[in-house]
Amino acid sequence: MMAEIEARLDAGYQVHRLFDASQRDSVEAARSDIRAVVTGGGTGLTNDWIDRLPALGIIAVNGVGTDRIDLAYARQRGVHVTTTQGALTDEVADMGLALILAVLRRIVEGDRFMRSGRWQAGEQFPLGSSPRGKRLGILGLGQIGRALGTRAELFGMAVRYSNRTHYHDVAWPHFSDAAKLAADSDVLAVCVAATPDTRRVINGAVLKALGPQGTLINIARGSVVDEDALIAALRDGTIAAAGLDVFENEPAIRKDFLDLPNVVLMPHQASATIETRRTMGNMVLASLDAYFTGKRPENTVN
Ligand code: 8YV
């Protein structure tokens, strides 16, 4: 979290940092008194930890993903789980669009080209491709998927989506599954929540359906994509390119990604702007404040 948010946490609470190995002993000593945990969406809290904290009453997630928390178990234990729902929608959608443009317009490749002196040496840079007229398939039409679709339309993209619920308040065509959506998309953007149902839903068959001109964008979670299949598809031309903000085993990502020229990589930064992280931090503080003053935190999701 931002230093200013951590400072406010420290001012209001006695904080033990579970991620800091040097605090292991003090965390252990305080374990039975710990009443709240603050964590990230991609980090969560295991049931083992929930069991090890008998006084726990709230897990405040600095994010919207709850895939690393067993919500039902927390509920059964009487533990509120809160998120920063709504706060990061625009930021994450912006990252989706940024990755689309970065791939189509070869932004990162251009930067590498310049730095290696190839432009100066008279070499031609390859043409990019236009978003206009391209079909954008959105897997998961939640708040973020919708915000990405709205942006993409402004860039002339033709939006379609696949989602468990078929929404009638959007004019975008609905597809019943990821493979059908991929087959009718030039760019496939993964915006779906990570659940057991969506685990590795982007598999070899979906990538094959996306095809050799296709681009995969992932701003959701690494677990939604079969990374072996993705690496193979990027390597053998089954798909053209990818823009990825999330990975299965963050931050220890597969080294293969680093060797692939046709992928743009970001270190899980979609919500990471000063403004949005400040809003998120304030929401975490508000959830803690509500809990510790005996109110039901507003953004409880379980
Ligand atoms: C954050 C996220 O990067 O909201 C989520 O689920 O993954 C991201 O917004 C993460 O929560 C870090 O705190």
Side-chain angles (χ1 to χ4, degrees), residues 39-42 61-65 67 84 88 92 221 268 271 277 280:
T39 185
V61 178
N62 183 46
V64 293
D67 47 302
T84 63
L88 47 71
V92 177
R221 279 287 184 271
H268 198 149
S271 70
R277 284 292 170 85
M280 290 163 65

Side-chain angles (χ1 to χ4, degrees), residues 37-42 44 58-69 71 80-89 143 221 279-288 296-302:
V37 165
V38 174
T39 185
I58 179 170
I59 303 168
V61 178
N62 183 46
V64 293
T66 53
D67 47 302
R68 292 296 184 96
I69 301 173
L71 292 180
H80 294 283
V81 176
T82 63
T83 69
T84 63
Q85 47 198 321
L88 47 71
T89 307
Q143 288 183 30
R221 279 287 184 271
T279 305
M280 290 163 65
N282 283 330
M283 288 174 79
V284 167
L285 289 164
S287 292
L288 295 178
R296 183 181 184 278
E298 220 177 285
N299 292 308
T300 297
V301 293
N302 68 332

Side-chain angles (χ1 to χ4, degrees), residues 17 19 22 45 69 78 80 84 88 94 102 134 140 151 160 162 169 176 182 222 235 252 277:
R17 292 178 166 78
F19 55 85
S22 72
L45 192 71
I69 301 173
H80 294 283
T84 63
L88 47 71
D94 286 356
K134 292 230 161 47
R151 282 160 176 71
R160 58 263 286 109
S162 179
D169 63 327
S176 57
R235 204 171 265 150
R277 284 292 170 85

Side-chain angles (χ1 to χ4, degrees), residues 211-222:
Q213 306 297 324
T215 295
L216 182 78
I217 302 294
N218 191 1
I219 50 172
R221 279 287 184 271

